[in-house]
Amino acid sequence: SPPPPTWMPEGSSKPPKRPAMDEAKRSRRDSFGPWGDPSIKYLYYCPQMKELAHSIAAQPTQLTIRPMEVSWAKFPDGFPNLFVEGAEEIRGKHVAFLASFNNPDTIFEQISVIYSLPKMFIASFTLILPFFPTGTAERVEREGEVPTAVTLARMLSHIPMSRGGPTSTIIFDIHALQERFYFGDNITPCFETGIPLLLDEIAALPDKSDVVIAYPDEGAMKRFHTFFEAFDEVVCTKVRQGDKRLVTLKEGEPEGKHVVIVDDLVQSGGTLIECGKVLKARGAKALSAFCTHGVFPNDKHERFTESDMFDNFWITDSCPQTVSRVRGRAPFKVLSLAGRIARALEI
């Protein structure tokens, strides 16, 4: 008979037993194997969103949300020097990233991490972008204008696919719902809203039975009308008078009412103030405002802290640079999106 193969022990017809795999190698091998537990989410975040990320993780949901760290250093030339902590730990796991694109200077470093995470052999990837900052630049009215909402949607549409397929993205109160169609097939947008937070605040007002909802223009009315069918409504509009655009009352009756003005975002606040003047002149007994995204560039929030026109001004924590400036200052009250984000991650 032929001699046994050289890799078998002499006088044996069976190969030798392999030595036991040490625990480190076994853990490394298993990390590439079965899908991670879908009830556990690994949540990375940009530095501006640290407070919100930990608040999301603390929410009472069916998920276990584990905050994870990224090292956000810079090279001497100013370009980002990034490192994702726990890269081996998240293999085969369900991962999310909480972003803030309020400052254009930080978008590149965040996009670098966002593009890298799906390639780390993760089971699925979710991008949480509470505020889509270029949403108001969604259309072109004359040749030469650049719709930067389309540009940002294209950037996000090129996020690589994870093992689970296209990226899911959670966005709150995007300026126009048709922007859903600006995104490509590599990303699935989930549009959420902060309006339920406002409804809770209205329900707690002592004069809640006198509340009417106002919109600063027809666009806001079309965007949010369906959330307030149980309320009387007031619609303002802008009319051109020479070189100026004036706010007037288009429909509804504010007299003797607590009027709550609703819009998706506020920048300088000029339109809200002009709308408030019109409503006061027409007999509104009290004014409040809600904007999901309080942008307020160049400290424009001070137009409201230095005035007593508004009894309440509710914003969410979608714009972290604003939260630190207005927290605890009347008439502002910051409503956290943490609970709604945590529940959206359960989908």
Side-chain angles (χ1 to χ4, degrees), residues 124-343:
S124 68
F125 182 58
T126 301
L127 171 64
I128 308 163
L129 183 62
F131 176 43
F132 189 81
T134 60
T136 54
E138 87 284 13
R139 61 184 177 214
V140 171
E141 295 182 348
R142 63 192 180 108
E143 194 63 37
E145 293 180 339
V146 178
T148 51
V150 178
T151 306
L152 184 54
R154 285 179 175 174
M155 290 170 62
L156 299 180
S157 298
H158 284 82
I159 298 173
M161 282 199 249
S162 66
R163 294 174 67 189
T167 293
S168 301
T169 185
I170 300 169
I171 299 172
F172 280 82
D173 290 320
I174 197 166
H175 185 66
L177 290 177
Q178 66 264 26
E179 293 178 59
R180 174 189 308 277
F181 305 105
Y182 297 172
F183 295 88
D185 294 338
N186 272 15
I187 191 165
T188 304
C190 174
F191 290 163
E192 289 285 340
T193 181
I195 295 298
L197 302 176
L198 169 62
L199 293 174
D200 289 343
E201 293 296 314
I202 291 176
L205 291 174
D207 58 349
K208 60 183 178 182
S209 60
D210 290 334
V211 167
V212 300
I213 303 299
Y215 306 104
D217 52 43
E218 292 91 338
M221 187 273 291
K222 293 176 182 177
R223 181 69 179 82
F224 295 111
H225 164 73
T226 56
F227 294 103
F228 300 103
E229 293 179 345
F231 294 85
D232 292 333
E233 295 174 308
V234 172
V235 182
C236 296
T237 189
K238 295 175 184 176
V239 296
R240 189 172 294 280
Q241 190 176 80
D243 294 334
K244 298 181 179 180
R245 297 187 71 185
L246 304 178
V247 176
T248 64
L249 187 65
K250 181 181 179 182
E251 59 183 82
E253 183 51 67
E255 185 175 359
K257 301 294 184 179
H258 184 160
V259 183
V260 178
I261 307 172
V262 176
D263 208 351
D264 60 317
L265 65 88
V266 54
Q267 295 263 8
S268 69
T271 299
L272 287 179
I273 290 172
E274 293 305 313
C275 188
K277 291 178 179 177
V278 170
L279 294 168
K280 280 284 192 180
R282 295 293 293 267
K285 71 171 185 177
L287 284 178
S288 294
F290 171 84
C291 295
T292 305
H293 311 296
V295 184
F296 291 122
N298 303 315
D299 293 327
K300 292 297 185 181
H301 64 282
E302 293 181 356
R303 302 177 72 175
F304 297 90
T305 57
E306 296 171 356
S307 167
D308 59 359
M309 176 180 289
F310 288 86
D311 293 73
N312 306 282
F313 199 139
W314 298 289
I315 63 172
T316 75
D317 48 2
S318 66
C319 299
Q321 81 286 356
T322 300
V323 170
S324 60
R325 298 200 299 262
V326 306
R327 181 172 280 154
R329 300 183 65 186
F332 288 101
K333 182 177 181 180
V334 179
L335 311 178
S336 182
L337 293 172
R340 296 197 58 77
I341 292 173
R343 285 189 286 275

Side-chain angles (χ1 to χ4, degrees), residues 94-127:
H94 299 271
V95 176
F97 182 83
L98 177 60
S100 172
F101 287 179
N102 304 101
N103 183 351
D105 293 340
T106 67
I107 292 179
F108 176 71
E109 63 185 15
Q110 292 183 67
I111 284 288
S112 298
V113 173
I114 291 166
Y115 278 24
S116 296
L117 283 169
K119 292 189 172 185
M120 293 181 179
F121 221 70
I122 61 177
S124 68
F125 182 58
T126 301
L127 171 64

